[in-house]
């Protein structure tokens, strides 16, 4: 049985993962309307991954005898000035998510819930990968700058990049 404190913290994380999915869906839609088809596909996939992160938590809470709360989401921002602006927002968001996962891990240790602690290790590994990928993308964009040919190649190549290599999804 989950302790109330753990259940509340996991339900907060369910909301964060679901909101991440909504944010990346809005980003995908923005990219699509800007003619950035490869970037849009990358972000649609990323949005799906975040929904999986949410589902995994929902099922874990219920399996442990708790009650998962399916959250309400606020409408995500849809105005991005540029690809760099979009991916900087994504990187900042992932850094925030990593901090939240770390807080959750700390709560589990304080509450001596080693089962949830173990479950969360998948998210810890996932965050390392997601942050690294977002930083790599930002490095590429900063090299490209305003070069139209470079942006064309970026958009063509990003579609084949997988968000997740963390295999247990
Ligand atoms: Fe599920 Fe990108 O955090």
């Amino acid at each position: 049985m989950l302790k109330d404190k753990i259940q509340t913290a996991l339900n907060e994380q369910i909301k964060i993962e679901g909101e991440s999915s909504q944010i990346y869906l809005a980003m995908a839609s923005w990219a699509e309307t800007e003619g950035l088809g490869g970037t849009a596909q990358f972000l649609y996939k990323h949005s799906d991954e975040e929904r999986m992160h949410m589902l995994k938590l929902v099922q874990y809470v219920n399996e442990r005898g708790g009650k998962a709360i399916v959250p309400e989401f606020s409408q995500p921002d849809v105005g991005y000035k540029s690809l760099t602006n979009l991916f900087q927002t994504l990187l900042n968001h992932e850094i925030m998510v990593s901090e939240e996962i770390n807080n959750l891990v700390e709560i589990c240790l304080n509450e001596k819930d080693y089962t949830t602690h173990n479950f969360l290790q998948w998210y810890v590994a996932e965050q390392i990968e997601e942050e690294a990928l977002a930083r790599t993308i930002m490095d590429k964009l900063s090299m490209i700058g305003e070069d139209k040919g470079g942006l064309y190649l970026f958009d063509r190549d990003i579609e084949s990049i997988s968000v997740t290599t963390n295999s247990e999804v």
Side-chain angles (χ1 to χ4, degrees):
M1 193 74 182
L2 284 175
K3 287 185 184 171
D4 283 351
K5 198 167 180 181
I6 302 282
Q7 177 170 290
T8 302
L10 288 171
N11 272 318
E12 281 166 12
Q13 193 62 35
I14 286 171
K15 181 161 178 144
I16 290 170
E17 300 291 345
E19 264 169 354
S20 303
S21 178
Q22 295 290 97
I23 291 167
Y24 300 152
L25 179 59
M27 287 180 172
S29 180
W30 177 87
E32 196 160 52
T33 59
E34 293 288 315
L36 299 161
T39 305
Q41 288 310 312
F42 171 83
L43 290 164
Y44 281 130
K45 273 190 278 177
H46 201 163
S47 172
D48 284 346
E49 296 282 348
E50 298 299 351
R51 183 177 151 75
M52 285 303 301
H53 299 175
M54 175 180 67
L55 281 180
K56 221 170 143 78
L57 280 158
V58 165
Q59 288 164 355
Y60 178 78
V61 169
N62 292 337
E63 273 167 15
R64 292 285 315 280
K67 275 201 188 338
I69 297 169
V70 176
E72 186 179 20
F73 301 125
S74 45
Q75 186 173 18
D77 211 350
V78 284
Y80 296 100
K81 290 184 215 83
S82 61
L83 264 185
T84 301
N85 175 240
L86 184 151
F87 279 105
Q88 185 63 55
T89 306
L90 188 149
L91 173 59
N92 293 346
H93 185 78
E94 288 302 332
I95 290 169
M96 180 280 286
V97 174
S98 298
E99 281 168 9
E100 294 298 329
I101 294 285
N102 289 340
N103 289 339
L104 203 43
V105 167
E106 194 180 338
I107 293 169
C108 289
L109 286 178
N110 291 340
E111 296 294 314
K112 297 189 167 43
D113 183 342
Y114 301 115
T115 310
T116 306
H117 180 271
N118 187 46
F119 166 77
L120 288 172
Q121 295 313 301
W122 183 88
Y123 287 84
V124 171
E126 180 67 15
Q127 283 312 119
I128 293 169
E129 288 189 9
E130 291 202 6
E131 274 193 44
L133 176 58
R135 287 198 171 88
T136 304
I137 290 172
M138 285 302 294
D139 288 345
K140 282 189 200 303
L141 284 171
S142 108
M143 259 186 325
I144 293 166
E146 296 297 314
D147 179 61
K148 290 252 187 301
L151 285 171
Y152 171 82
L153 293 176
F154 172 90
D155 186 61
R156 188 194 67 182
D157 293 344
I158 193 172
E159 190 176 347
S160 59
I161 296 176
S162 173
V163 181
T164 300
T165 49
N166 199 354
S167 57
E168 283 174 55
V169 181

